[in-house]
Coordinates of all heavy atoms in Angstrom, one line a residue:
M1 N -0.6 -0.1 87.3 CA -1.6 0.0 88.3 C -1.1 0.9 89.5 O 0.0 0.9 89.9 CB -1.9 -1.4 88.9 CG -2.6 -2.3 87.8 SD -3.4 -3.8 88.5 CE -1.9 -4.8 88.8
N2 N -2.0 1.7 89.9 CA -1.8 2.7 91.0 C -2.6 2.3 92.2 O -3.8 2.0 92.1 CB -2.2 4.1 90.5 CG -1.9 5.1 91.6 OD1 -1.1 5.0 92.4 ND2 -2.7 6.2 91.5
T3 N -1.8 2.2 93.4 CA -2.5 1.7 94.6 C -2.4 2.7 95.7 O -1.4 3.3 95.9 CB -1.9 0.4 95.1 OG1 -2.1 -0.6 94.1 CG2 -2.6 -0.1 96.3
Q4 N -3.6 3.0 96.3 CA -3.6 3.9 97.5 C -4.2 3.2 98.7 O -5.1 2.4 98.5 CB -4.4 5.2 97.1 CG -3.8 6.0 95.9 CD -4.8 7.1 95.6 OE1 -6.0 7.1 96.0 NE2 -4.2 8.1 95.0
T5 N -3.7 3.5 99.8 CA -4.3 3.0 101.1 C -4.8 4.1 101.9 O -4.2 5.1 102.1 CB -3.2 2.2 101.9 OG1 -2.7 1.1 101.1 CG2 -3.8 1.6 103.1
Q6 N -6.0 3.8 102.5 CA -6.7 4.9 103.3 C -7.1 4.2 104.6 O -7.8 3.1 104.6 CB -7.8 5.5 102.6 CG -8.6 6.5 103.5 CD -9.8 7.1 102.7 OE1 -10.1 6.6 101.7 NE2 -10.3 8.2 103.2
I7 N -6.8 4.7 105.8 CA -7.3 4.2 107.1 C -8.5 5.1 107.5 O -8.4 6.3 107.6 CB -6.2 4.3 108.2 CG1 -4.9 3.6 107.8 CG2 -6.7 3.8 109.5 CD1 -5.0 2.1 107.7
I8 N -9.6 4.5 107.7 CA -10.8 5.2 108.1 C -11.2 4.9 109.5 O -11.3 3.7 110.0 CB -12.0 4.8 107.2 CG1 -11.6 5.2 105.7 CG2 -13.3 5.5 107.7 CD1 -12.6 4.7 104.7
K9 N -11.3 5.9 110.4 CA -11.6 5.8 111.8 C -13.1 6.1 111.9 O -13.6 7.2 111.6 CB -10.8 6.8 112.6 CG -9.3 6.5 112.6 CD -8.6 7.4 113.5 CE -7.0 7.1 113.5 NZ -6.2 7.9 114.3
I10 N -13.8 5.1 112.5 CA -15.2 5.3 112.7 C -15.5 5.9 114.1 O -16.2 6.8 114.2 CB -16.0 3.9 112.6 CG1 -15.7 3.2 111.3 CG2 -17.4 4.0 112.9 CD1 -16.2 4.0 110.1
E11 N -14.7 5.3 115.0 CA -14.8 5.9 116.4 C -13.5 5.4 117.1 O -12.8 4.5 116.6 CB -16.0 5.3 117.2 CG -16.1 3.8 117.3 CD -17.5 3.5 117.9 OE1 -18.5 4.0 117.5 OE2 -17.4 2.6 118.7
P12 N -13.2 5.8 118.3 CA -12.0 5.3 118.9 C -11.9 3.9 119.1 O -12.9 3.2 119.5 CB -12.1 6.0 120.3 CG -12.9 7.2 120.1 CD -13.8 6.8 119.1
G13 N -10.8 3.3 118.5 CA -10.6 1.8 118.6 C -11.3 1.1 117.4 O -11.3 -0.2 117.4
F14 N -12.0 1.7 116.6 CA -12.7 1.0 115.5 C -12.3 1.7 114.2 O -12.8 2.8 113.9 CB -14.2 1.2 115.7 CG -15.1 0.4 114.7 CD1 -15.1 -1.0 114.7 CD2 -15.8 1.1 113.7 CE1 -15.9 -1.6 113.8 CE2 -16.5 0.4 112.8 CZ -16.6 -1.0 112.8
T15 N -11.5 1.0 113.4 CA -11.0 1.5 112.2 C -11.0 0.4 111.1 O -11.1 -0.7 111.5 CB -9.5 2.0 112.2 OG1 -8.7 0.9 112.6 CG2 -9.4 3.2 113.3
Y16 N -10.9 0.8 109.9 CA -10.8 -0.2 108.9 C -9.9 0.4 107.7 O -9.7 1.6 107.7 CB -12.0 -0.8 108.3 CG -12.9 0.2 107.5 CD1 -12.9 0.3 106.1 CD2 -13.9 1.0 108.2 CE1 -13.7 1.2 105.5 CE2 -14.7 1.8 107.5 CZ -14.7 1.9 106.1 OH -15.5 2.7 105.4
E17 N -9.3 -0.5 107.0 CA -8.4 0.0 105.9 C -9.0 -0.3 104.5 O -9.6 -1.4 104.3 CB -7.1 -0.8 106.0 CG -6.1 -0.5 105.0 CD -4.8 -1.4 105.2 OE1 -4.7 -2.1 106.3 OE2 -4.0 -1.4 104.3
V18 N -8.9 0.7 103.6 CA -9.4 0.5 102.3 C -8.2 0.6 101.4 O -7.4 1.6 101.4 CB -10.4 1.6 101.9 CG1 -10.8 1.4 100.5 CG2 -11.6 1.5 102.8
V19 N -7.9 -0.4 100.6 CA -6.8 -0.4 99.6 C -7.5 -0.3 98.2 O -8.2 -1.2 97.9 CB -5.9 -1.7 99.7 CG1 -4.8 -1.7 98.7 CG2 -5.4 -1.8 101.2
R20 N -7.2 0.8 97.6 CA -7.8 1.0 96.2 C -6.8 0.9 95.2 O -5.7 1.7 95.2 CB -8.4 2.4 96.2 CG -9.2 2.7 94.9 CD -9.8 4.1 95.0 NE -10.8 4.4 94.0 CZ -10.5 4.8 92.8 NH1 -9.3 5.1 92.5 NH2 -11.5 5.0 91.9
T21 N -7.0 0.1 94.2 CA -6.0 -0.1 93.1 C -6.8 0.2 91.8 O -7.8 -0.4 91.4 CB -5.5 -1.6 93.1 OG1 -4.9 -1.8 94.2 CG2 -4.5 -1.7 91.8
E22 N -6.3 1.3 91.0 CA -6.8 1.5 89.7 C -6.2 0.6 88.7 O -4.9 0.6 88.5 CB -6.6 3.0 89.3 CG -7.2 3.3 88.0 CD -7.1 4.8 87.7 OE1 -6.6 5.6 88.5 OE2 -7.6 5.1 86.6
I23 N -6.9 -0.2 88.1 CA -6.4 -1.2 87.1 C -6.2 -0.5 85.8 O -5.1 -0.7 85.2 CB -7.4 -2.4 87.0 CG1 -7.4 -3.1 88.4 CG2 -6.9 -3.4 86.0 CD1 -8.5 -4.1 88.5
F24 N -7.2 0.2 85.4 CA -7.1 1.1 84.2 C -8.3 2.1 84.3 O -9.1 1.9 85.1 CB -6.9 0.5 82.9 CG -8.0 -0.6 82.6 CD1 -9.2 -0.2 82.0 CD2 -7.7 -1.9 82.8 CE1 -10.1 -1.2 81.8 CE2 -8.7 -2.9 82.5 CZ -9.9 -2.5 82.0
A25 N -8.3 3.1 83.5 CA -9.4 4.1 83.5 C -10.8 3.4 83.6 O -11.1 2.6 82.7 CB -9.3 5.1 82.3
G26 N -11.5 3.7 84.6 CA -12.9 3.2 84.7 C -13.0 1.9 85.4 O -14.1 1.4 85.6
V27 N -11.9 1.2 85.7 CA -11.9 0.0 86.5 C -11.0 0.1 87.6 O -9.8 0.3 87.5 CB -11.4 -1.2 85.5 CG1 -11.4 -2.5 86.3 CG2 -12.4 -1.3 84.3
H28 N -11.5 -0.2 88.9 CA -10.7 -0.2 90.1 C -11.1 -1.2 91.0 O -12.3 -1.6 91.0 CB -10.5 1.1 90.7 CG -11.7 1.7 91.3 ND1 -12.7 2.4 90.6 CD2 -12.1 1.7 92.6 CE1 -13.6 2.8 91.4 NE2 -13.4 2.4 92.6
L29 N -10.2 -1.6 91.9 CA -10.5 -2.6 92.9 C -10.3 -2.0 94.3 O -9.4 -1.3 94.5 CB -9.5 -3.8 92.8 CG -9.6 -4.9 93.9 CD1 -10.8 -5.7 93.8 CD2 -8.3 -5.7 93.8
E30 N -11.3 -2.2 95.2 CA -11.2 -1.8 96.5 C -11.3 -3.0 97.5 O -12.2 -3.8 97.3 CB -12.3 -0.8 96.9 CG -12.2 0.5 96.3 CD -13.3 1.5 96.6 OE1 -14.3 1.1 97.2 OE2 -13.1 2.7 96.3
V31 N -10.3 -3.1 98.3 CA -10.3 -4.2 99.3 C -10.4 -3.6 100.7 O -9.7 -2.6 101.1 CB -8.9 -5.0 99.2 CG1 -8.9 -6.1 100.3 CG2 -8.7 -5.5 97.8
Y32 N -11.4 -4.1 101.5 CA -11.7 -3.6 102.8 C -11.2 -4.5 103.9 O -11.5 -5.7 103.8 CB -13.2 -3.4 102.9 CG -13.8 -2.7 101.7 CD1 -14.5 -3.5 100.7 CD2 -13.8 -1.4 101.6 CE1 -15.0 -2.9 99.7 CE2 -14.4 -0.7 100.5 CZ -15.0 -1.5 99.6 OH -15.5 -0.8 98.6
K33 N -10.3 -4.0 104.8 CA -9.8 -4.8 105.7 C -10.1 -4.2 107.2 O -9.8 -3.1 107.4 CB -8.2 -4.9 105.6 CG -7.8 -5.4 104.3 CD -6.3 -5.4 104.2 CE -5.8 -6.0 102.8 NZ -4.4 -6.1 102.7
Q34 N -10.7 -5.1 108.0 CA -11.1 -4.7 109.4 C -10.6 -5.8 110.3 O -11.0 -7.0 110.1 CB -12.6 -4.5 109.4 CG -13.1 -4.0 110.7 CD -14.6 -3.7 110.7 OE1 -15.2 -3.7 109.7 NE2 -15.1 -3.4 111.8
P35 N -9.9 -5.5 111.3 CA -9.5 -6.5 112.3 C -10.7 -7.3 112.8 O -11.7 -6.7 113.2 CB -8.7 -5.7 113.3 CG -8.3 -4.4 112.6 CD -9.3 -4.2 111.6
G36 N -10.5 -8.6 112.9 CA -11.6 -9.4 113.4 C -12.6 -9.9 112.5 O -13.6 -10.6 112.8
Y37 N -12.6 -9.3 111.2 CA -13.6 -9.7 110.2 C -12.9 -10.2 108.9 O -11.7 -9.8 108.6 CB -14.4 -8.4 109.8 CG -15.3 -8.0 111.0 CD1 -14.8 -7.0 111.8 CD2 -16.6 -8.5 111.0 CE1 -15.6 -6.5 112.9 CE2 -17.4 -8.0 112.1 CZ -16.9 -7.1 113.0 OH -17.7 -6.6 114.0
A38 N -13.6 -10.9 108.1 CA -13.0 -11.4 106.8 C -12.9 -10.2 105.9 O -13.7 -9.3 105.9 CB -13.9 -12.5 106.2
D39 N -11.8 -10.2 105.1 CA -11.6 -9.2 104.1 C -12.7 -9.3 103.0 O -13.1 -10.4 102.7 CB -10.2 -9.3 103.5 CG -9.1 -9.0 104.5 OD1 -9.4 -8.5 105.6 OD2 -8.0 -9.3 104.2
E40 N -13.1 -8.1 102.5 CA -14.0 -8.0 101.4 C -13.5 -7.1 100.3 O -12.5 -6.4 100.6 CB -15.3 -7.4 102.0 CG -16.0 -8.1 103.1 CD -17.1 -7.3 103.8 OE1 -17.4 -6.2 103.3 OE2 -17.7 -7.8 104.7
A41 N -14.1 -7.3 99.2 CA -13.6 -6.5 98.0 C -14.7 -6.2 97.1 O -15.8 -6.8 97.1 CB -12.5 -7.3 97.2
T42 N -14.5 -5.1 96.4 CA -15.5 -4.6 95.3 C -14.7 -4.3 94.1 O -13.7 -3.5 94.1 CB -16.3 -3.4 95.8 OG1 -16.9 -3.7 97.0 CG2 -17.3 -3.0 94.8
L43 N -15.1 -4.9 93.0 CA -14.4 -4.6 91.7 C -15.4 -3.6 91.0 O -16.6 -3.9 90.8 CB -14.3 -5.8 90.9 CG -13.7 -5.6 89.5 CD1 -12.3 -5.1 89.6 CD2 -13.6 -6.9 88.7
H44 N -15.0 -2.4 90.7 CA -15.8 -1.4 90.1 C -15.4 -1.3 88.6 O -14.3 -1.2 88.2 CB -15.5 0.0 90.7 CG -15.8 0.1 92.1 ND1 -17.0 0.6 92.6 CD2 -15.1 -0.2 93.2 CE1 -17.0 0.5 93.9 NE2 -15.8 0.1 94.4
I45 N -16.4 -1.6 87.8 CA -16.3 -1.6 86.3 C -17.3 -0.6 85.8 O -18.5 -0.8 85.7 CB -16.5 -3.0 85.7 CG1 -15.6 -4.0 86.4 CG2 -16.3 -2.9 84.2 CD1 -16.0 -5.4 86.1
G46 N -16.8 0.7 85.5 CA -17.7 1.7 85.1 C -18.7 2.0 86.2 O -18.3 2.2 87.4
D47 N -20.0 2.0 86.0 CA -21.0 2.1 87.0 C -21.5 0.9 87.7 O -22.3 0.9 88.5 CB -22.2 2.8 86.4 CG -22.0 4.2 85.9 OD1 -21.0 4.9 86.4 OD2 -22.7 4.7 85.0
N48 N -20.9 -0.3 87.4 CA -21.2 -1.6 87.9 C -20.2 -1.9 89.0 O -19.0 -1.6 89.0 CB -21.2 -2.6 86.8 CG -22.2 -2.3 85.7 OD1 -23.4 -2.2 86.0 ND2 -21.7 -2.0 84.5
E49 N -20.7 -2.7 90.0 CA -19.9 -3.2 91.1 C -20.2 -4.7 91.3 O -21.2 -5.2 91.2 CB -20.3 -2.5 92.4 CG -20.1 -1.1 92.4 CD -20.5 -0.3 93.7 OE1 -21.3 -1.0 94.5 OE2 -20.2 0.8 93.9
V50 N -19.0 -5.4 91.6 CA -19.0 -6.8 91.9 C -18.4 -6.9 93.3 O -17.3 -6.6 93.5 CB -18.2 -7.6 90.9 CG1 -18.3 -9.1 91.3 CG2 -18.8 -7.4 89.4
H51 N -19.2 -7.4 94.2 CA -18.8 -7.6 95.6 C -18.4 -9.0 95.8 O -19.1 -9.8 95.4 CB -19.9 -7.1 96.6 CG -20.4 -5.8 96.5 ND1 -19.7 -4.7 96.9 CD2 -21.5 -5.3 95.9 CE1 -20.4 -3.5 96.6 NE2 -21.5 -3.9 96.0
F52 N -17.3 -9.3 96.5 CA -16.9 -10.6 96.7 C -16.0 -10.7 98.0 O -15.4 -9.7 98.4 CB -16.2 -11.3 95.5 CG -15.0 -10.5 95.0 CD1 -13.7 -11.0 95.3 CD2 -15.1 -9.4 94.2 CE1 -12.6 -10.3 94.9 CE2 -14.0 -8.7 93.7 CZ -12.7 -9.2 94.1
A53 N -15.8 -11.9 98.5 CA -14.9 -12.1 99.6 C -13.5 -12.1 99.1 O -13.2 -12.7 98.1 CB -15.2 -13.4 100.3
W54 N -12.6 -11.4 99.8 CA -11.2 -11.3 99.4 C -10.4 -12.5 99.9 O -10.5 -12.8 101.1 CB -10.6 -10.1 99.9 CG -9.3 -9.7 99.4 CD1 -8.1 -9.7 100.1 CD2 -8.8 -9.4 98.1 NE1 -7.0 -9.4 99.3 CE2 -7.5 -9.1 98.1 CE3 -9.6 -9.3 96.9 CZ2 -6.8 -8.9 96.9 CZ3 -8.9 -9.0 95.7 CH2 -7.5 -8.7 95.8
S55 N -9.8 -13.3 99.0 CA -9.1 -14.5 99.4 C -7.7 -14.4 99.0 O -7.3 -13.5 98.3 CB -9.8 -15.7 98.7 OG -9.6 -15.6 97.4
D56 N -6.9 -15.3 99.4 CA -5.4 -15.4 99.0 C -5.4 -15.6 97.5 O -4.5 -15.0 96.8 CB -4.7 -16.5 99.8 CG -4.5 -16.2 101.2 OD1 -4.6 -15.0 101.7 OD2 -4.3 -17.1 102.0
E57 N -6.3 -16.4 97.0 CA -6.3 -16.7 95.6 C -6.6 -15.5 94.8 O -5.9 -15.2 93.7 CB -7.3 -17.9 95.3 CG -7.3 -18.3 93.8 CD -8.3 -19.5 93.6 OE1 -9.1 -19.7 94.5 OE2 -8.2 -20.0 92.5
A58 N -7.6 -14.7 95.2 CA -8.0 -13.5 94.5 C -6.8 -12.5 94.6 O -6.5 -11.8 93.6 CB -9.2 -12.9 95.2
A59 N -6.0 -12.4 95.7 CA -5.0 -11.5 95.9 C -3.9 -11.8 94.9 O -3.3 -10.9 94.3 CB -4.4 -11.6 97.3
V60 N -3.5 -13.1 94.7 CA -2.5 -13.5 93.8 C -3.0 -13.2 92.3 O -2.2 -12.6 91.6 CB -2.2 -15.0 93.9 CG1 -1.4 -15.6 92.7 CG2 -1.5 -15.3 95.2
L61 N -4.2 -13.4 92.1 CA -4.7 -13.2 90.7 C -4.6 -11.6 90.4 O -4.1 -11.3 89.3 CB -6.2 -13.6 90.6 CG -6.8 -13.2 89.2 CD1 -6.4 -14.2 88.1 CD2 -8.3 -13.0 89.3
F62 N -5.0 -10.8 91.2 CA -5.0 -9.4 91.0 C -3.6 -8.8 91.0 O -3.3 -7.9 90.3 CB -5.9 -8.6 92.0 CG -7.3 -8.6 91.6 CD1 -8.2 -9.6 92.1 CD2 -7.9 -7.7 90.7 CE1 -9.6 -9.6 91.7 CE2 -9.2 -7.8 90.3 CZ -10.0 -8.7 90.9
A63 N -2.7 -9.4 91.8 CA -1.3 -9.0 91.8 C -0.6 -9.3 90.5 O 0.3 -8.6 90.1 CB -0.5 -9.7 93.0
E64 N -1.1 -10.4 89.9 CA -0.5 -10.8 88.6 C -1.5 -10.6 87.4 O -1.3 -11.3 86.4 CB 0.0 -12.2 88.6 CG 1.0 -12.5 89.7 CD 1.3 -14.0 89.9 OE1 0.6 -14.8 89.3 OE2 2.2 -14.2 90.6
L65 N -2.4 -9.7 87.5 CA -3.4 -9.5 86.5 C -2.9 -9.3 85.2 O -3.5 -9.7 84.2 CB -4.3 -8.3 87.0 CG -5.6 -8.1 86.3 CD1 -6.5 -9.4 86.5 CD2 -6.4 -6.9 86.8
D66 N -1.8 -8.6 85.0 CA -1.3 -8.3 83.7 C -0.7 -9.5 83.0 O -0.5 -9.5 81.8 CB -0.3 -7.1 83.7 CG 0.8 -7.3 84.6 OD1 0.7 -8.2 85.6 OD2 1.9 -6.7 84.4
K67 N -0.5 -10.6 83.8 CA 0.1 -11.8 83.2 C -1.0 -12.9 83.1 O -0.7 -14.0 82.6 CB 1.1 -12.4 84.2 CG 2.2 -11.4 84.4 CD 3.2 -12.0 85.5 CE 4.2 -10.9 86.0 NZ 5.0 -11.3 87.0
R68 N -2.3 -12.7 83.5 CA -3.4 -13.6 83.5 C -4.3 -13.5 82.3 O -4.4 -12.4 81.7 CB -4.2 -13.5 84.8 CG -3.3 -13.8 86.1 CD -2.8 -15.2 86.1 NE -2.2 -15.4 87.3 CZ -2.5 -16.3 88.2 NH1 -3.6 -17.1 87.9 NH2 -1.8 -16.5 89.3
E69 N -5.0 -14.5 82.1 CA -6.1 -14.5 81.0 C -7.4 -13.9 81.6 O -7.6 -14.3 82.8 CB -6.3 -15.9 80.5 CG -5.2 -16.5 79.8 CD -4.8 -15.7 78.5 OE1 -5.8 -15.3 77.8 OE2 -3.7 -15.6 78.1
P70 N -8.2 -13.2 80.9 CA -9.4 -12.6 81.5 C -10.3 -13.7 82.1 O -11.0 -13.4 83.0 CB -10.1 -12.0 80.3 CG -9.0 -11.6 79.4 CD -8.0 -12.7 79.6
I71 N -10.3 -14.9 81.4 CA -11.2 -15.9 82.0 C -10.8 -16.3 83.5 O -11.6 -16.8 84.2 CB -11.2 -17.2 81.0 CG1 -12.3 -18.1 81.4 CG2 -9.8 -17.9 81.1 CD1 -13.7 -17.6 81.0
E72 N -9.6 -16.2 83.8 CA -9.1 -16.5 85.2 C -9.8 -15.6 86.2 O -10.2 -16.0 87.2 CB -7.6 -16.5 85.3 CG -6.9 -17.6 84.5 CD -5.4 -17.5 84.6 OE1 -4.8 -16.8 83.8 OE2 -4.8 -18.1 85.5
L73 N -9.9 -14.3 85.8 CA -10.6 -13.3 86.7 C -12.0 -13.7 86.9 O -12.6 -13.8 88.0 CB -10.5 -12.0 86.1 CG -11.3 -10.9 86.9 CD1 -10.9 -10.8 88.3 CD2 -11.1 -9.5 86.2
L74 N -12.7 -14.1 85.8 CA -14.1 -14.5 85.9 C -14.2 -15.8 86.7 O -15.2 -15.9 87.5 CB -14.7 -14.8 84.5 CG -14.8 -13.5 83.6 CD1 -15.3 -13.9 82.3 CD2 -15.7 -12.5 84.3
A75 N -13.3 -16.7 86.6 CA -13.4 -17.9 87.4 C -13.3 -17.7 88.9 O -14.0 -18.3 89.7 CB -12.3 -18.9 87.0
I76 N -12.4 -16.7 89.3 CA -12.2 -16.3 90.7 C -13.5 -15.7 91.2 O -14.0 -16.1 92.3 CB -11.0 -15.4 90.9 CG1 -9.8 -16.1 90.6 CG2 -11.0 -14.8 92.3 CD1 -9.3 -17.2 91.6
L77 N -14.0 -14.9 90.4 CA -15.3 -14.2 90.9 C -16.5 -15.1 91.0 O -17.3 -14.9 91.9 CB -15.6 -13.0 89.9 CG -14.6 -11.8 89.9 CD1 -14.9 -10.8 88.8 CD2 -14.5 -11.2 91.3
T78 N -16.5 -16.0 90.1 CA -17.7 -17.0 90.3 C -17.6 -17.9 91.4 O -18.5 -18.4 92.0 CB -17.9 -17.8 89.0 OG1 -16.7 -18.6 88.7 CG2 -18.2 -17.0 87.8
Q79 N -16.3 -18.1 91.9 CA -16.1 -19.1 93.0 C -16.0 -18.3 94.4 O -16.3 -19.0 95.4 CB -14.8 -19.8 92.9 CG -14.8 -20.8 91.6 CD -13.4 -21.4 91.3 OE1 -12.5 -21.3 92.2 NE2 -13.2 -21.9 90.2
A80 N -15.8 -17.1 94.3 CA -15.7 -16.3 95.6 C -17.1 -16.2 96.2 O -18.1 -15.9 95.4 CB -15.1 -14.9 95.3
P81 N -17.2 -16.3 97.5 CA -18.5 -16.1 98.2 C -19.0 -14.7 98.0 O -18.2 -13.7 98.1 CB -18.2 -16.3 99.7 CG -17.0 -17.1 99.7 CD -16.2 -16.8 98.5
R82 N -20.2 -14.5 97.5 CA -20.8 -13.2 97.2 C -21.2 -12.6 98.6 O -21.5 -13.3 99.5 CB -22.0 -13.3 96.3 CG -21.7 -13.9 94.9 CD -21.3 -12.8 94.0 NE -22.3 -11.8 94.0 CZ -22.3 -10.8 93.1 NH1 -21.4 -10.8 92.2 NH2 -23.2 -9.8 93.2
L83 N -21.1 -11.3 98.7 CA -21.5 -10.6 99.9 C -22.9 -10.0 99.7 O -23.3 -9.7 98.6 CB -20.5 -9.4 100.1 CG -19.0 -9.8 100.2 CD1 -18.2 -8.6 100.3 CD2 -18.8 -10.7 101.5
L84 N -23.6 -10.0 100.8 CA -24.9 -9.4 100.7 C -24.7 -7.9 100.8 O -24.2 -7.4 101.8 CB -25.8 -9.9 101.9 CG -26.1 -11.4 101.8 CD1 -26.9 -11.7 103.1 CD2 -26.9 -11.7 100.5
A85 N -25.1 -7.1 99.8 CA -24.9 -5.7 99.8 C -26.2 -4.9 100.0 O -27.2 -5.4 99.7 CB -24.3 -5.3 98.5

């Protein structure tokens, strides 16, 4: 897995961080971190997107994705609060 971090400046004093991890071709995860707000994430699967709240449990799952069963990923996504997009 390849991970890149980008800091995006909106205006002075207002920035957020995007951590993008390519899981494999056509599938990547983006985690959005902004001070003072809950972290959010988007799992991109081809042309589809799944938006969800980023939690400690999700972070552990994605960090150990190659050791987990696919059903565990689905379980995390069904339990994570969905974001209004």
Side-chain angles (χ1 to χ4, degrees):
M1 289 192 287
N2 181 26
T3 300
Q4 298 175 339
T5 300
Q6 179 180 12
I7 305 292
I8 299 175
K9 294 183 181 182
I10 304 299
E11 59 185 48
F14 185 72
T15 62
Y16 66 95
E17 178 181 352
V18 179
V19 179
R20 184 180 194 273
T21 302
E22 185 174 355
I23 298 170
F24 52 83
V27 178
H28 68 275
L29 172 72
E30 291 181 342
V31 178
Y32 312 100
K33 300 178 180 187
Q34 184 178 352
Y37 294 89
D39 295 344
E40 302 172 357
T42 302
L43 179 63
H44 299 266
I45 306 168
D47 292 336
N48 300 297
E49 298 178 345
V50 179
H51 303 283
F52 58 100
W54 188 246
S55 65
D56 292 340
E57 187 178 10
V60 168
L61 175 83
F62 279 95
E64 300 176 349
L65 194 58
D66 57 338
K67 301 174 190 172
R68 300 294 185 119
E69 294 294 323
I71 195 71
E72 292 178 274
L73 172 60
L74 293 175
I76 293 295
L77 294 175
T78 60
Q79 295 173 17
R82 298 273 308 189
L83 303 173
L84 297 176

